[in-house]
Amino acid sequence: MGSMNNGNAYESRLWRLLEKDNLADLARYHQRRFFDEVPLFSRDSDIDFLPKAKKAARGILVTFALKFLQSVIAYEQHPSGYFAAITLWNLSADAFVPNLFAWCAPIRELEDKLELSLGTTPFAKETKKLVNGLRLSETFKVLEDSRTDPDSPRVFIAPAHPPYRGFAALDTFRRQTSASK
Protein backbone atom coordinates (compact mmCIF):
# COMPACT_ATOMS: atom_id res chain seq x y z
CA MET A 1 0.00 0.00 0.00
CA GLY A 2 2.90 2.36 0.71
CA SER A 3 4.23 2.17 -2.86
CA MET A 4 0.76 3.02 -4.17
CA ASN A 5 0.71 6.13 -2.03
CA ASN A 6 4.24 7.03 -3.18
CA GLY A 7 3.11 6.61 -6.79
CA ASN A 8 0.19 8.96 -6.22
CA ALA A 9 2.45 11.47 -4.47
CA TYR A 10 4.92 11.41 -7.38
CA GLU A 11 2.11 11.84 -9.90
CA SER A 12 0.63 14.71 -7.91
CA ARG A 13 3.96 16.52 -7.86
CA LEU A 14 4.54 15.85 -11.56
CA TRP A 15 1.07 17.19 -12.35
CA ARG A 16 1.89 20.37 -10.41
CA LEU A 17 4.98 20.77 -12.62
CA LEU A 18 2.75 20.63 -15.70
CA GLU A 19 0.48 23.27 -14.17
CA LYS A 20 3.44 25.48 -13.21
CA ASP A 21 4.77 25.33 -16.80
CA ASN A 22 1.28 25.89 -18.29
CA LEU A 23 1.20 22.45 -19.90
CA ALA A 24 -1.89 21.07 -18.13
CA ASP A 25 -4.42 22.83 -20.40
CA LEU A 26 -5.48 19.85 -22.51
CA ALA A 27 -7.43 22.00 -24.98
CA ARG A 28 -4.21 23.55 -26.30
CA TYR A 29 -3.17 20.20 -27.82
CA HIS A 30 -6.37 20.05 -29.87
CA GLN A 31 -6.34 23.41 -31.62
CA ARG A 32 -6.59 23.20 -35.39
CA ARG A 33 -3.15 23.09 -37.09
CA PHE A 34 -1.44 22.66 -33.70
CA PHE A 35 1.89 20.88 -33.61
CA ASP A 36 4.46 20.73 -30.85
CA GLU A 37 6.80 18.40 -29.02
CA VAL A 38 6.75 19.65 -25.46
CA PRO A 39 9.11 18.50 -22.69
CA LEU A 40 7.08 17.59 -19.62
CA PHE A 41 9.62 19.20 -17.31
CA SER A 42 12.35 21.74 -17.94
CA ARG A 43 15.01 21.26 -15.26
CA ASP A 44 16.60 18.32 -13.51
CA SER A 45 15.92 20.12 -10.25
CA ASP A 46 12.18 19.90 -11.04
CA ILE A 47 12.29 16.16 -10.54
CA ASP A 48 14.88 15.81 -7.79
CA PHE A 49 12.13 14.38 -5.56
CA LEU A 50 12.09 11.15 -7.62
CA PRO A 51 13.99 8.08 -6.43
CA LYS A 52 17.72 8.22 -7.09
CA ALA A 53 17.66 4.81 -8.78
CA LYS A 54 17.51 5.55 -12.52
CA LYS A 55 15.27 2.62 -13.39
CA ALA A 56 12.68 3.52 -10.74
CA ALA A 57 12.70 7.22 -11.68
CA ARG A 58 12.34 6.42 -15.37
CA GLY A 59 9.44 4.08 -14.66
CA ILE A 60 7.64 6.80 -12.69
CA LEU A 61 8.27 9.41 -15.40
CA VAL A 62 7.10 7.18 -18.26
CA THR A 63 4.05 5.95 -16.34
CA PHE A 64 3.06 9.55 -15.61
CA ALA A 65 3.75 10.65 -19.19
CA LEU A 66 1.61 7.84 -20.62
CA LYS A 67 -1.25 8.65 -18.25
CA PHE A 68 -0.98 12.29 -19.30
CA LEU A 69 -0.98 11.18 -22.95
CA GLN A 70 -4.19 9.23 -22.34
CA SER A 71 -5.78 12.36 -20.84
CA VAL A 72 -4.72 14.47 -23.81
CA ILE A 73 -6.11 11.93 -26.29
CA ALA A 74 -9.38 11.50 -24.39
CA TYR A 75 -9.99 15.25 -24.09
CA GLU A 76 -11.43 15.55 -27.61
CA GLN A 77 -12.06 13.13 -30.46
CA HIS A 78 -11.29 14.36 -33.96
CA PRO A 79 -12.96 12.92 -37.07
CA SER A 80 -9.49 12.85 -38.70
CA GLY A 81 -6.07 14.40 -38.47
CA TYR A 82 -5.00 13.78 -34.90
CA PHE A 83 -1.94 12.07 -33.47
CA ALA A 84 -0.30 12.22 -30.06
CA ALA A 85 2.53 10.25 -28.48
CA ILE A 86 5.19 10.43 -25.84
CA THR A 87 8.68 10.84 -27.23
CA LEU A 88 12.02 10.22 -25.60
CA TRP A 89 15.31 11.36 -27.12
CA ASN A 90 18.56 9.49 -26.55
CA LEU A 91 20.58 12.60 -25.81
CA SER A 92 22.83 11.24 -23.07
CA ALA A 93 22.99 8.49 -20.47
CA ASP A 94 21.67 10.84 -17.81
CA ALA A 95 19.09 12.92 -19.68
CA PHE A 96 15.64 11.37 -19.63
CA VAL A 97 12.86 13.77 -20.50
CA PRO A 98 9.46 12.56 -21.70
CA ASN A 99 7.92 14.88 -24.28
CA LEU A 100 4.34 15.18 -25.43
CA PHE A 101 4.21 15.10 -29.24
CA ALA A 102 0.84 16.35 -30.50
CA TRP A 103 -0.30 16.90 -34.08
CA CYS A 104 -3.71 18.31 -35.02
CA ALA A 105 -3.50 18.72 -38.79
CA PRO A 106 -3.73 16.55 -41.90
CA ILE A 107 -1.91 13.30 -41.16
CA ARG A 108 -0.44 13.16 -44.67
CA GLU A 109 1.77 16.12 -43.77
CA LEU A 110 3.14 14.24 -40.78
CA GLU A 111 3.59 11.06 -42.80
CA ASP A 112 5.96 13.02 -45.05
CA LYS A 113 8.05 14.06 -42.04
CA LEU A 114 8.18 10.94 -39.87
CA GLU A 115 9.84 7.68 -40.69
CA LEU A 116 9.47 5.26 -37.79
CA SER A 117 10.68 1.68 -37.54
CA LEU A 118 11.02 -1.10 -35.03
CA GLY A 119 13.65 -0.09 -32.51
CA THR A 120 17.11 -1.42 -33.23
CA THR A 121 19.22 0.77 -30.96
CA PRO A 122 19.89 -0.20 -27.35
CA PHE A 123 17.93 2.90 -26.26
CA ALA A 124 14.83 1.82 -28.21
CA LYS A 125 15.07 -1.74 -26.91
CA GLU A 126 15.51 -0.52 -23.33
CA THR A 127 12.53 1.82 -23.68
CA LYS A 128 10.34 -0.93 -25.11
CA LYS A 129 11.29 -3.21 -22.21
CA LEU A 130 10.50 -0.41 -19.73
CA VAL A 131 7.09 0.30 -21.30
CA ASN A 132 6.17 -3.39 -21.46
CA GLY A 133 6.98 -3.71 -17.75
CA LEU A 134 4.68 -0.91 -16.63
CA ARG A 135 1.39 -1.73 -14.94
CA LEU A 136 -1.02 0.20 -17.11
CA SER A 137 -4.52 -0.71 -18.23
CA GLU A 138 -3.71 0.06 -21.86
CA THR A 139 -0.99 -1.39 -24.06
CA PHE A 140 1.44 0.84 -25.90
CA LYS A 141 3.65 0.44 -28.94
CA VAL A 142 7.21 1.74 -29.18
CA LEU A 143 8.76 2.73 -32.52
CA GLU A 144 12.00 4.52 -33.26
CA ASP A 145 12.83 7.59 -35.33
CA SER A 146 16.47 7.61 -36.37
CA ARG A 147 15.93 9.92 -39.36
CA THR A 148 15.32 13.25 -37.60
CA ASP A 149 18.70 13.15 -35.84
CA PRO A 150 20.73 10.00 -36.60
CA ASP A 151 23.13 10.78 -33.73
CA SER A 152 20.30 10.99 -31.18
CA PRO A 153 17.51 8.56 -31.97
CA ARG A 154 14.15 9.13 -30.36
CA VAL A 155 11.36 6.74 -29.60
CA PHE A 156 7.65 7.30 -29.98
CA ILE A 157 5.28 5.65 -27.51
CA ALA A 158 1.59 5.63 -28.40
CA PRO A 159 -1.46 3.46 -27.84
CA ALA A 160 -1.06 0.08 -29.50
CA HIS A 161 -4.58 0.47 -30.92
CA PRO A 162 -6.11 3.79 -31.97
CA PRO A 163 -8.57 4.88 -29.25
CA TYR A 164 -11.02 6.25 -31.86
CA ARG A 165 -11.41 6.36 -35.62
CA GLY A 166 -9.82 9.78 -36.33
CA PHE A 167 -6.68 9.05 -34.29
CA ALA A 168 -3.68 8.06 -36.43
CA ALA A 169 -2.08 4.80 -35.31
CA LEU A 170 1.66 4.79 -34.66
CA ASP A 171 2.02 2.26 -37.49
CA THR A 172 0.80 4.97 -39.91
CA PHE A 173 4.35 6.35 -39.77
CA ARG A 174 6.17 3.03 -39.82
CA ARG A 175 8.58 2.25 -42.61
CA GLN A 176 9.95 -1.18 -43.26
CA THR A 177 13.67 -1.34 -42.67
CA SER A 178 15.72 -2.93 -45.38
CA ALA A 179 17.64 -6.13 -44.71
CA SER A 180 20.88 -4.38 -45.63
CA LYS A 181 20.77 -2.07 -42.61
Side-chain angles (χ1 to χ4, degrees):
M1 191 73 162
S3 65
M4 179 66 150
N5 289 338
N6 284 345
N8 290 339
Y10 292 136
E11 287 182 9
S12 180
R13 288 185 74 175
L14 289 166
W15 186 261
R16 284 195 301 270
L17 284 174
L18 293 181
E19 290 173 334
K20 178 186 82 144
D21 292 337
N22 298 316
L23 300 175
D25 177 11
L26 302 181
R28 75 184 277 188
Y29 308 111
H30 293 272
Q31 296 174 15
R32 187 167 172 74
R33 305 291 301 166
F34 177 86
F35 163 68
D36 207 348
E37 185 172 9
V38 183
L40 297 186
F41 66 89
S42 53
R43 293 178 194 82
D44 286 340
S45 62
D46 287 343
I47 57 168
D48 63 2
F49 60 88
L50 292 175
K52 299 304 174 210
K54 257 190 218 183
K55 186 176 180 181
R58 288 179 175 187
I60 292 166
L61 285 171
V62 172
T63 298
F64 176 78
L66 292 174
K67 287 180 178 182
F68 181 62
L69 172 65
Q70 289 174 309
S71 296
V72 168
I73 292 169
Y75 181 79
E76 182 178 341
Q77 293 188 11
H78 298 267
S80 65
Y82 193 75
F83 174 70
I86 294 299
T87 60
L88 297 167
W89 288 82
N90 186 14
L91 300 173
S92 75
D94 294 327
F96 194 82
V97 180
N99 302 281
L100 175 67
F101 183 103
W103 178 274
C104 190
I107 293 300
R108 184 75 180 132
E109 294 174 22
L110 186 56
E111 283 181 284
D112 293 340
K113 298 173 194 276
L114 277 183
E115 208 170 284
L116 305 181
S117 61
L118 291 176
T120 58
T121 65
F123 180 70
K125 290 176 181 178
E126 179 184 319
T127 301
K128 184 175 181 177
K129 184 177 178 182
L130 172 69
V131 169
N132 289 340
L134 299 176
R135 294 180 184 168
L136 296 171
S137 59
E138 189 171 342
T139 56
F140 294 89
K141 184 171 243 176
V142 177
L143 293 179
E144 181 176 42
D145 166 30
S146 54
R147 178 180 172 206
T148 302
D149 184 350
D151 295 328
S152 299
R154 72 177 159 174
V155 293
F156 280 73
I157 310 166
H161 306 286
Y164 59 88
R165 187 178 174 136
F167 187 88
L170 194 57
D171 282 332
T172 303
F173 314 104
R174 186 171 169 197
R175 306 293 183 262
Q176 300 300 324
T177 55
S178 65
S180 62
K181 285 188 178 179

